[in-house]
Amino acid sequence: MSGNCLFCQIVNKKIPTEFLYEDENVVVFKDIHPAAPVHLLIVPKKHIRSINDLQKEESLIISELFMIAKDMAKKQGVNESGYKLLFNVEKGGGQVIFHLHLHLIGGWNK
Ligand code: AMP
Ligand code: ZN
C-alpha cells in the first residue's frame, strides 16, 4: 500500500466504495465521473504506478485484469454492443491516479 494513494485507500477500504467485484488480487468499482453509461475501473490490489512500472513477474495481474473486464462487460450487458478497455499511462496519456487501473467504458447503444 502506498500511503497517500487514493486507490490504495479504496482497495484497503479506508474510503468506502461499493465493489462490483473483488477477489484476492483485484477490485472493480464504478468510476465516480463516468464517461459513458457503463464506466468501471478494474484495479489490482497491488500498488503499481503505471504500465511503465510493470515487472515481468506482474504479467499475470494484467491478464487477470482483462479476464475480469471481459466478465464484467457481460455482467453489465455491454459485451455484445461493445466497449473500450483503456489504460492511461502517465500524465501525457491522461493518467491522473497513479495506481494502475483498466477502464471499461461502454453502454452507448445498448
Ligand atoms: P485515469 O485518468 O486513468 O488516472 O483515471 C482515473 C479515474 O478515476 C478517473 O476517471 C476518475 O473519474 C476516477 N476516480 C477518481 N476518484 C475516484 C473515486 N473516489 N472513486 C471512483 N473513481 C474515481
Ligand atoms: Zn496505490
Side-chain angles (χ1 to χ4, degrees):
M1 163 147 178
S2 179
N4 54 5
C5 169
L6 178 68
F7 283 2
C8 279
Q9 290 177 45
I10 289 177
V11 161
N12 289 289
K13 301 174 178 145
K14 306 266 191 263
I15 296 175
T17 302
E18 186 193 349
F19 293 156
L20 279 63
Y21 175 87
E22 180 176 15
D23 68 19
E24 199 185 338
N25 301 320
V26 178
V27 297
V28 178
F29 50 88
K30 288 185 181 168
D31 195 293
I32 205 165
H33 299 302
V38 173
H39 188 167
L40 304 184
L41 299 174
I42 298 136
V43 183
K45 289 186 173 177
K46 182 173 184 183
H47 181 85
I48 300 166
R49 177 185 164 93
S50 83
I51 286 285
N52 283 346
D53 298 85
L54 257 189
Q55 303 298 307
K56 187 149 178 61
E57 61 272 17
E58 292 162 341
S59 310
L60 198 59
I61 292 180
I62 295 302
S63 49
E64 284 176 19
L65 297 182
F66 281 112
M67 292 308 288
I68 292 164
K70 182 195 77 160
D71 291 347
M72 294 307 299
K74 190 164 189 188
K75 279 191 189 137
Q76 297 285 316
V78 299
N79 57 315
E80 288 185 354
S81 57
Y83 55 94
K84 296 179 193 292
L85 295 176
L86 176 73
F87 287 107
N88 292 325
V89 184
E90 296 297 332
K91 288 196 184 79
Q95 188 175 5
V96 295
I97 308 277
F98 296 98
H99 178 130
L100 191 73
H101 52 280
L102 179 61
H103 293 257
L104 163 53
I105 305 167
W108 303 276
N109 301 312
K110 269 209 289 181

Short mmCIF file of all heavy atoms in Angstrom, two decimals, residues 79-101:
data_model
loop_
_atom_site.label_atom_id
_atom_site.label_comp_id
_atom_site.label_asym_id
_atom_site.label_seq_id
_atom_site.Cartn_x
_atom_site.Cartn_y
_atom_site.Cartn_z
N ASN A 79 -21.35 -6.61 -23.53
CA ASN A 79 -20.40 -7.46 -24.27
C ASN A 79 -20.75 -7.53 -25.75
O ASN A 79 -19.87 -7.53 -26.60
CB ASN A 79 -20.31 -8.87 -23.66
CG ASN A 79 -21.64 -9.56 -23.59
OD1 ASN A 79 -22.64 -8.96 -23.19
ND2 ASN A 79 -21.69 -10.82 -23.97
N GLU A 80 -22.05 -7.54 -26.06
CA GLU A 80 -22.42 -7.65 -27.48
C GLU A 80 -22.46 -6.29 -28.16
O GLU A 80 -22.06 -6.16 -29.32
CB GLU A 80 -23.74 -8.40 -27.62
CG GLU A 80 -23.53 -9.88 -27.30
CD GLU A 80 -24.75 -10.73 -27.54
OE1 GLU A 80 -25.82 -10.18 -27.85
OE2 GLU A 80 -24.62 -11.96 -27.38
N SER A 81 -22.92 -5.27 -27.44
CA SER A 81 -22.97 -3.93 -28.05
C SER A 81 -21.56 -3.37 -28.23
O SER A 81 -21.30 -2.62 -29.16
CB SER A 81 -23.82 -2.98 -27.21
OG SER A 81 -23.34 -2.90 -25.89
N GLY A 82 -20.66 -3.74 -27.33
CA GLY A 82 -19.26 -3.34 -27.47
C GLY A 82 -18.82 -2.35 -26.42
O GLY A 82 -19.63 -1.66 -25.80
N TYR A 83 -17.51 -2.28 -26.25
CA TYR A 83 -16.94 -1.44 -25.18
C TYR A 83 -15.48 -1.18 -25.47
O TYR A 83 -14.89 -1.78 -26.37
CB TYR A 83 -17.13 -2.12 -23.82
CG TYR A 83 -16.58 -3.53 -23.72
CD1 TYR A 83 -15.31 -3.78 -23.23
CD2 TYR A 83 -17.34 -4.62 -24.16
CE1 TYR A 83 -14.81 -5.06 -23.15
CE2 TYR A 83 -16.85 -5.92 -24.08
CZ TYR A 83 -15.58 -6.13 -23.58
OH TYR A 83 -15.07 -7.40 -23.51
N LYS A 84 -14.91 -0.26 -24.68
CA LYS A 84 -13.48 0.04 -24.79
C LYS A 84 -12.79 -0.39 -23.51
O LYS A 84 -13.35 -0.25 -22.42
CB LYS A 84 -13.25 1.54 -24.97
CG LYS A 84 -13.80 2.14 -26.24
CD LYS A 84 -13.53 3.63 -26.29
CE LYS A 84 -14.33 4.32 -27.37
NZ LYS A 84 -13.94 3.98 -28.73
N LEU A 85 -11.56 -0.88 -23.64
CA LEU A 85 -10.68 -1.16 -22.50
C LEU A 85 -9.46 -0.28 -22.65
O LEU A 85 -8.85 -0.27 -23.73
CB LEU A 85 -10.28 -2.64 -22.46
CG LEU A 85 -11.42 -3.62 -22.22
CD1 LEU A 85 -10.90 -5.05 -22.31
CD2 LEU A 85 -12.06 -3.38 -20.86
N LEU A 86 -9.13 0.46 -21.61
CA LEU A 86 -8.14 1.51 -21.76
C LEU A 86 -7.25 1.67 -20.53
O LEU A 86 -7.75 1.74 -19.40
CB LEU A 86 -8.90 2.83 -21.99
CG LEU A 86 -8.10 4.11 -22.09
CD1 LEU A 86 -7.37 4.17 -23.43
CD2 LEU A 86 -9.01 5.31 -21.94
N PHE A 87 -5.94 1.72 -20.77
CA PHE A 87 -5.00 2.16 -19.74
C PHE A 87 -4.50 3.55 -20.12
O PHE A 87 -3.93 3.70 -21.22
CB PHE A 87 -3.77 1.25 -19.69
CG PHE A 87 -3.99 -0.11 -19.09
CD1 PHE A 87 -4.01 -1.24 -19.89
CD2 PHE A 87 -4.13 -0.25 -17.71
CE1 PHE A 87 -4.19 -2.51 -19.33
CE2 PHE A 87 -4.29 -1.51 -17.15
CZ PHE A 87 -4.33 -2.64 -17.96
N ASN A 88 -4.70 4.54 -19.29
CA ASN A 88 -4.00 5.80 -19.47
C ASN A 88 -2.63 5.65 -18.82
O ASN A 88 -2.53 5.13 -17.70
CB ASN A 88 -4.78 6.94 -18.80
CG ASN A 88 -6.10 7.21 -19.51
OD1 ASN A 88 -6.19 7.10 -20.72
ND2 ASN A 88 -7.12 7.57 -18.75
N VAL A 89 -1.59 6.10 -19.50
CA VAL A 89 -0.23 5.90 -18.99
C VAL A 89 0.47 7.25 -18.82
O VAL A 89 0.73 7.95 -19.81
CB VAL A 89 0.58 4.98 -19.92
CG1 VAL A 89 1.96 4.72 -19.31
CG2 VAL A 89 -0.15 3.65 -20.14
N GLU A 90 0.70 7.60 -17.56
CA GLU A 90 1.39 8.84 -17.17
C GLU A 90 0.61 10.08 -17.65
O GLU A 90 -0.40 9.97 -18.32
CB GLU A 90 2.84 8.83 -17.65
CG GLU A 90 3.69 7.72 -16.99
CD GLU A 90 3.83 7.87 -15.47
OE1 GLU A 90 3.78 9.00 -14.96
OE2 GLU A 90 3.98 6.83 -14.77
N LYS A 91 1.07 11.23 -17.21
CA LYS A 91 0.31 12.48 -17.37
C LYS A 91 -0.11 12.74 -18.82
O LYS A 91 -1.27 13.03 -19.10
CB LYS A 91 1.12 13.66 -16.84
CG LYS A 91 1.24 13.70 -15.33
CD LYS A 91 1.69 15.08 -14.85
CE LYS A 91 1.90 15.10 -13.35
NZ LYS A 91 3.19 14.49 -12.93
N GLY A 92 0.84 12.63 -19.73
CA GLY A 92 0.57 12.91 -21.14
C GLY A 92 -0.43 11.93 -21.74
O GLY A 92 -1.07 12.23 -22.76
N GLY A 93 -0.58 10.78 -21.11
CA GLY A 93 -1.54 9.78 -21.57
C GLY A 93 -2.86 9.90 -20.84
O GLY A 93 -3.74 9.02 -20.98
N GLY A 94 -3.01 10.94 -20.02
CA GLY A 94 -4.29 11.18 -19.35
C GLY A 94 -4.42 10.55 -17.98
O GLY A 94 -5.48 10.60 -17.37
N GLN A 95 -3.34 9.94 -17.49
CA GLN A 95 -3.43 9.31 -16.17
C GLN A 95 -3.40 10.39 -15.08
O GLN A 95 -2.54 11.28 -15.11
CB GLN A 95 -2.27 8.33 -15.96
CG GLN A 95 -2.41 7.49 -14.70
CD GLN A 95 -1.32 6.42 -14.56
OE1 GLN A 95 -0.38 6.34 -15.36
NE2 GLN A 95 -1.46 5.59 -13.53
N VAL A 96 -4.37 10.31 -14.17
CA VAL A 96 -4.39 11.26 -13.04
C VAL A 96 -4.26 10.54 -11.70
O VAL A 96 -3.87 11.14 -10.70
CB VAL A 96 -5.64 12.18 -13.05
CG1 VAL A 96 -5.62 13.09 -14.27
CG2 VAL A 96 -6.93 11.39 -12.99
N ILE A 97 -4.62 9.25 -11.66
CA ILE A 97 -4.44 8.44 -10.45
C ILE A 97 -3.30 7.47 -10.74
O ILE A 97 -3.43 6.61 -11.63
CB ILE A 97 -5.71 7.65 -10.09
CG1 ILE A 97 -6.94 8.56 -10.04
CG2 ILE A 97 -5.50 6.85 -8.80
CD1 ILE A 97 -7.16 9.31 -8.78
N PHE A 98 -2.22 7.61 -9.99
CA PHE A 98 -1.02 6.83 -10.31
C PHE A 98 -0.99 5.52 -9.54
O PHE A 98 -0.08 5.25 -8.75
CB PHE A 98 0.22 7.71 -10.13
CG PHE A 98 0.20 8.86 -11.11
CD1 PHE A 98 -0.25 10.11 -10.74
CD2 PHE A 98 0.56 8.63 -12.43
CE1 PHE A 98 -0.31 11.14 -11.66
CE2 PHE A 98 0.49 9.66 -13.37
CZ PHE A 98 0.06 10.92 -12.98
N HIS A 99 -2.04 4.75 -9.75
CA HIS A 99 -2.19 3.36 -9.30
C HIS A 99 -2.87 2.67 -10.48
O HIS A 99 -3.99 3.04 -10.85
CB HIS A 99 -3.03 3.31 -8.02
CG HIS A 99 -3.30 1.93 -7.49
ND1 HIS A 99 -3.09 1.58 -6.16
CD2 HIS A 99 -3.80 0.81 -8.08
CE1 HIS A 99 -3.43 0.31 -5.96
NE2 HIS A 99 -3.87 -0.18 -7.13
N LEU A 100 -2.17 1.72 -11.04
CA LEU A 100 -2.63 1.06 -12.28
C LEU A 100 -4.13 0.74 -12.25
O LEU A 100 -4.63 0.23 -11.24
CB LEU A 100 -1.83 -0.24 -12.44
CG LEU A 100 -1.96 -0.94 -13.78
CD1 LEU A 100 -1.21 -0.17 -14.85
CD2 LEU A 100 -1.40 -2.36 -13.67
N HIS A 101 -4.81 1.02 -13.34
CA HIS A 101 -6.23 0.65 -13.45
C HIS A 101 -6.61 0.56 -14.91
O HIS A 101 -6.12 1.32 -15.74
CB HIS A 101 -7.13 1.63 -12.71
CG HIS A 101 -6.90 3.06 -13.08
ND1 HIS A 101 -5.86 3.79 -12.56
CD2 HIS A 101 -7.56 3.87 -13.93
CE1 HIS A 101 -5.89 5.02 -13.08
NE2 HIS A 101 -6.91 5.09 -13.93
#
